[in-house]
Amino acid sequence: MTDTILDPAFLQPVRLSPDGRVLQLLDQRALPAREIWLELREVEAVAQAIESLAVRGAPAIGCAAALGLAAGSWGFPEATGPWREAAAQAIERLARTRPTAVNLFHALAHMRAALALAVGDAAALRAALRQAALVYVAGELQACVRMGEFGGPLLPEGTILTHCNTGALATAGWGTALGVIRRAHQLGRDIRVLADETRPVLQGARLTAWELQRDGIPVEVIADNMAGALMSRGQIQAAIVGADRITRRGDVANKIGTYTVAVLCRHHNIPFFVAAPWSTIDLEMESGAEIPIEARDLDEVHLHGGVRMTPAGVGARNPAFDVTPAELVTAIITERGVFRPDELAAAAAAAK
């Protein structure tokens, strides 16, 4: 494999300030119109940023939780016992923010384990927390780079469909599915991207298009209901998406609308790839039916640009995710390699 080239100015949307006291987040709610960096010093502010989609994308949520805990720890009591109690309460608060993305819980488990091993006064515990967070984020970034190495050569030339946002904004700074696309582009493959707008919050239209335009990769935006027609005309050669949780047998929870894309790909005999770090695979869950699906604020459906688009008094539904069954997935691209869904359990066992 040829090493991936990371531009020195590559986007890092989730980061600690140099003194470790502030979590700096690129506010995804404001893009593409404005680039606003939030500076968060308290765990509650970090939790609210995750809940309000200021930061989103399963890997990025985990990174924000880890770094946010480290930054927020500067506000914990100096006495060691109360400090540990405050840390435990902060972890519990962060765990309540988004139930579907398993990366969040991996990140918090990583931080909890680091605290369990740490000794010394509050300053030593704070330093241990910061180091653990930086290690976690570095590992997430490296996982994305490796995914690109494995997945880039798999993409056919032509037009690639994406759904939601799976790029630097959704991760530690390179991307899962978009990281694969970036690597394919680096390798000189002739690819173009169609970004599903991804209703109701428009992560594809606002974020994926912004990232790819920024990188000079050809991209167009389509409404979510256009993909089938374009597939029927031979205008889409593959689809690639990310994931918020993958079960032991390979069922994939991802942004609502992903299941529709997978069904369309199967009907038109188009490969449907999933790119996600190994930490997204929940080996404790066998079936997608077990995955908790977050229900979000109905105003995300009712309102568009702050203007109500539905009649007053009409109801709505707003599940944030759907589940694509394993049989519709061509391959799952991870930092450990590329697997068919039915190979995940054996790959996990072999790695022990």
Side-chain angles (χ1 to χ4, degrees):
M1 287 185 181
T2 303
D3 289 340
T4 295
I5 300 171
L6 284 178
D7 188 314
F10 82 99
L11 181 63
Q12 292 180 282
V14 183
R15 64 196 189 197
L16 269 183
S17 62
D19 64 5
R21 293 173 178 258
V22 180
L23 172 64
Q24 299 172 331
L25 289 180
L26 179 55
D27 190 344
Q28 298 188 34
R29 299 166 300 185
L31 291 171
R34 295 178 296 163
E35 295 184 30
I36 298 174
W37 286 89
L38 303 177
E39 296 200 341
L40 309 178
R41 294 171 172 81
E42 298 177 353
V43 169
E44 179 58 31
V46 175
Q48 291 179 14
I50 294 171
E51 291 169 339
S52 67
L53 304 185
V55 58
R56 45 137 301 279
I61 289 170
C63 292
L67 295 174
L69 183 64
S73 70
W74 284 89
F76 297 170
E78 286 300 313
T80 303
W83 195 98
R84 287 189 180 274
E85 292 173 9
Q89 292 172 3
I91 289 171
E92 290 177 5
R93 173 65 181 101
L94 291 166
R96 295 195 299 271
T97 54
R98 301 290 303 274
T100 303
V102 73
N103 307 64
L104 169 64
F105 304 101
H106 282 297
L108 295 177
H110 174 83
M111 301 300 283
R112 192 180 290 113
L115 277 180
L117 294 174
V119 295
D121 60 11
L125 297 176
R126 190 180 296 120
L129 211 56
R130 176 179 180 174
Q131 181 61 25
L134 293 175
V135 167
Y136 179 84
V137 173
E140 288 292 294
L141 177 59
Q142 186 58 35
C144 286
V145 171
R146 292 290 293 168
M147 270 181 268
E149 293 287 339
F150 284 116
L154 294 181
L155 292 185
E157 295 195 330
T159 299
I160 311 300
L161 178 70
T162 67
H163 191 72
C164 199
N165 171 262
T166 57
L169 291 169
T171 64
W174 180 247
T176 56
L178 280 196
V180 172
I181 288 172
R182 285 188 167 101
R183 183 57 182 149
H185 181 70
Q186 282 187 344
L187 292 171
R189 303 187 75 79
D190 182 13
I191 59 172
R192 300 168 299 283
V193 177
L194 285 180
D196 266 354
E197 61 179 355
T198 319
R199 283 282 295 150
V201 190
L202 303 177
Q203 294 97 323
R206 296 186 302 107
L207 307 179
T208 296
W210 179 80
E211 284 200 46
L212 292 177
Q213 183 185 56
R214 185 177 182 272
D215 283 0
I217 298 174
V219 59
E220 296 174 289
V221 174
I222 62 172
D224 293 0
N225 56 3
M226 296 177 183
L230 297 178
M231 288 180 186
S232 72
R233 299 172 190 167
Q235 295 178 11
I236 295 174
Q237 280 63 59
I240 185 167
V241 302
D244 287 80
R245 193 182 298 237
I246 301 172
T247 71
R248 182 180 179 86
R249 75 180 187 190
D251 297 339
V252 175
N254 194 48
K255 181 54 58 184
I256 192 75
T258 301
Y259 172 55
T260 306
V261 171
V263 170
L264 288 169
C265 284
R266 173 56 59 90
H267 180 75
H268 293 94
N269 197 30
I270 293 169
F272 177 83
F273 298 111
V274 175
W278 192 262
S279 58
T280 301
I281 300 168
D282 188 347
L283 295 170
E284 301 301 314
M285 283 191 179
E286 181 66 22
S287 165
E290 302 172 57
I291 299 175
I293 301 298
E294 176 185 358
R296 292 194 56 80
D297 191 331
L298 298 184
D299 277 350
E300 291 179 354
V301 175
H302 287 307
L303 305 181
H304 186 72
V307 178
R308 188 176 178 98
M309 305 299 291
T310 59
V314 170
R317 299 186 187 186
N318 192 18
F321 305 94
D322 57 27
V323 176
T324 298
E327 57 266 26
L328 297 180
V329 178
T330 303
I332 297 172
I333 302 165
T334 78
E335 72 274 25
R336 298 187 184 184
V338 180
F339 305 96
R340 297 192 314 269
D342 62 1
E343 295 175 327
L344 293 178
K352 288 183 178 179

